Amino acid sequence: MITEVLTANQLKKEAPVFGQLSFDNHEQVVFCHDKDTGLKAIIGVHNTILGPALGGTRMYDYKTEWDALNDVLRLSRGMTYKAAITGLNLGGGKAVIIGDPKKIKTPELMRRFGKFVHTLGGKYYTAEDVGMETSDMDTVREVTPYVTGISESKGGAGNPSPVTAYGVYMGMKAATKFAYGNDKLEGKRILVQGIGHVGEELVRLTSEEGANVIISDINEERLTEVSTKYGVDIYRGNDLYSETADIYAPCALGATINNETIDKLKVKVVAGAANNQLANESIHGPLLQQKEIVYAPDFLINAGGIINVYAEIEGYGREQIMSKTENIYNTTLDILNRAKATNTTTNAAAIGIAEDRIAARKNKQ
Ligand code: NAD
């Protein structure tokens, strides 16, 4: 179990890699470097009991390489639970590429990265994540078949983000039903933090249902664009977490529920797309529970994207993808009820179910 998220300063270089707190029985971690293209990447394969590890590649300008390692370890573990709880025959993996995509991303670098993915022989399948586009996956596809999320014109299932947003919307509705007794978002004040690929679609779905949506982003251009397009308000304060609202939807980066923010939250529901929303699941999960804030576990409700890319491997059609994603509503309600009945956190209840499924498969092998 991960017990703590370390900042770069806290990570001690002299500590063994296997002793890093984010290391949680990962099967394999691969460091990839290419001098010519400037590629520095880390592939984390957490668990392959249910199937090949699948998870996107994140390209981000990490402050330190230790931050990148920490991120890939946490993200790949989350993918294991996401696949398991969604009922997919996939393991958990993830990759990070260190650097600002606007500055260093080139087709050569992506191809070189793809060749590293290929060396794993199908143990890890990549896809897009923050800092990646469908076109980047098309480039990776030139050198390896172990990639999903490629363009529809090239036989892929296309951009997974709208499907992810639909799953988050379903999870949000389920959590709203649990908290308020019905799942109507009409009139609910929803704070959407991060209006990128997923956030924008979530804004569309919720505002079309009549929710009072407030958007926040660090990108001013996006704020104006999305606000105009859907007629939603822009948050102009300097402390989003203290804002009075019904629902907080983190759709930017992770760890926004942390020691600084948790006491400020006035919402009744947290349901968003970002991975690893709880900075420390064993501290912030119970604190949310104490505050009676209904937390829809991130890895459960943002599984639409992985369902979409899994479809590429399994050959599912659109209808199957959408009905599996819609089912996130039922799974979320089930987990929220179980957590209440067993007086545990929603996150722990979801992880418990995922771990049981993995253990059952392991016993059969
Ligand atoms: P994206 O890069 O398209 O969008 C992220 C948005 O967040 C950008 O508009 C960015 O400007 C904004 N942002 C960054 N830092 C911010 C901050 N401090 N405050 C407010 N806004 C900030 O990414 P995405 O594909 O929309 O994914 C969003 C989140 O959902 C990520 O955490 C990602 O890992 C997760 N997720 C995405 C998918 C998918 O299918 N795309 C699937 C599962 C999980």
Side-chain angles (χ1 to χ4, degrees):
M1 275 290 152
I2 291 170
T3 50
E4 204 180 330
V5 179
L6 296 181
T7 64
N9 291 340
Q10 290 170 310
L11 282 164
K12 290 196 174 63
K13 287 188 186 171
E14 63 269 25
V17 171
F18 288 105
Q20 298 298 324
L21 290 185
S22 297
F23 191 88
D24 184 36
N25 300 307
H26 288 69
E27 286 178 17
Q28 195 172 3
V29 181
V30 185
F31 290 81
C32 316
H33 179 237
D34 180 60
K35 190 166 164 261
D36 294 343
T37 56
L39 173 75
K40 273 188 187 170
I42 313 173
I43 300 171
V45 175
H46 178 248
N47 189 295
T48 57
I49 289 173
L50 294 176
L54 190 149
T57 296
R58 173 172 295 189
M59 190 163 189
Y60 189 72
D61 199 8
Y62 292 98
K63 271 199 199 132
T64 72
E65 291 167 4
W66 289 96
D67 284 343
L69 175 62
N70 203 37
D71 209 25
V72 79
L73 291 174
R74 276 165 57 82
L75 289 165
S76 54
R77 172 183 179 266
M79 292 307 293
T80 297
Y81 294 136
K82 188 184 304 205
I85 201 142
T86 312
L88 308 178
N89 290 321
L90 288 175
K94 201 90 179 183
V96 295
I97 299 178
I98 300 169
D100 182 344
K102 288 197 193 89
K103 292 187 186 148
I104 71 155
K105 191 165 70 181
T106 59
E108 292 73 33
L109 181 140
M110 290 311 303
R111 271 192 286 272
R112 192 66 193 92
F113 172 69
K115 284 182 184 164
F116 278 111
V117 170
H118 194 69
T119 62
L120 290 172
K123 187 174 191 178
Y124 167 69
Y125 278 70
T126 198
E128 67 172 283
D129 191 64
V130 174
M132 287 288 140
E133 306 293 335
T134 305
S135 58
D136 296 317
M137 295 305 113
D138 292 345
T139 307
V140 170
R141 181 68 186 84
E142 290 170 21
V143 295
T144 182
Y146 306 126
V147 54
T148 56
I150 55 174
S151 308
E152 281 170 283
S153 61
K154 293 191 160 56
N159 178 8
S161 303
V163 188
T164 301
Y166 184 60
V168 171
Y169 174 64
M170 285 293 128
M172 182 185 280
K173 282 178 81 67
T176 300
K177 183 172 169 70
F178 189 83
Y180 291 93
N182 72 67
D183 67 12
K184 285 197 183 71
L185 297 180
E186 190 182 352
K188 292 279 183 296
R189 189 170 160 84
I190 305 177
L191 306 173
V192 181
Q193 180 185 43
I195 42 160
H197 292 107
V198 181
E200 177 181 350
E201 180 65 6
L202 186 64
V203 168
R204 183 183 74 77
L205 291 164
T206 49
S207 60
E208 278 179 8
E209 200 187 313
N212 173 10
V213 179
I214 323 292
I215 55 173
S216 133
D217 204 291
I218 49 172
N219 182 334
E220 269 302 319
E221 254 172 62
R222 288 285 297 155
L223 282 172
T224 312
E225 191 188 324
V226 173
S227 159
T228 311
K229 198 163 162 188
Y230 303 100
V232 297
D233 291 334
I234 298 174
Y235 177 72
R236 289 293 179 200
N238 54 14
D239 191 7
L240 182 76
Y241 305 99
S242 299
E243 188 69 6
T244 301
D246 298 294
I247 301 169
Y248 163 49
C251 297
L253 296 176
T256 58
I257 314 255
N258 54 45
N259 289 342
E260 277 79 54
T261 60
I262 196 151
D263 284 336
K264 298 177 177 177
L265 292 178
K266 296 192 179 76
V267 293
K268 267 196 156 184
V269 169
V270 175
N275 286 308
N276 298 328
Q277 290 165 24
L278 306 178
N280 181 325
E281 62 193 36
S282 52
I283 294 177
H284 304 113
L287 284 176
L288 285 179
Q289 187 187 10
Q290 276 168 32
K291 284 173 69 88
E292 295 185 359
I293 295 175
V294 178
Y295 171 61
D298 47 16
F299 62 89
L300 164 66
I301 71 166
N302 71 13
I306 198 178
I307 294 171
N308 192 65
V309 293
Y310 183 60
E312 270 179 47
I313 302 173
E314 292 291 309
Y316 288 171
R318 182 81 355 209
E319 235 171 74
Q320 268 171 300
I321 293 173
M322 294 320 275
S323 80
K324 256 193 176 295
T325 306
E326 195 164 311
N327 198 41
I328 287 175
Y329 181 99
N330 295 325
T331 317
T332 305
L333 256 187
D334 184 33
I335 279 159
L336 298 180
N337 283 317
R338 270 191 211 211
K340 191 177 178 191
T342 54
N343 192 24
T344 182
T345 67
T346 55
N347 201 64
I351 288 180
I353 294 171
E355 280 179 341
D356 286 351
R357 183 167 174 245
I358 295 166
R361 180 72 61 85
K362 193 175 178 188
N363 290 338
K364 275 196 199 157
Q365 283 171 351

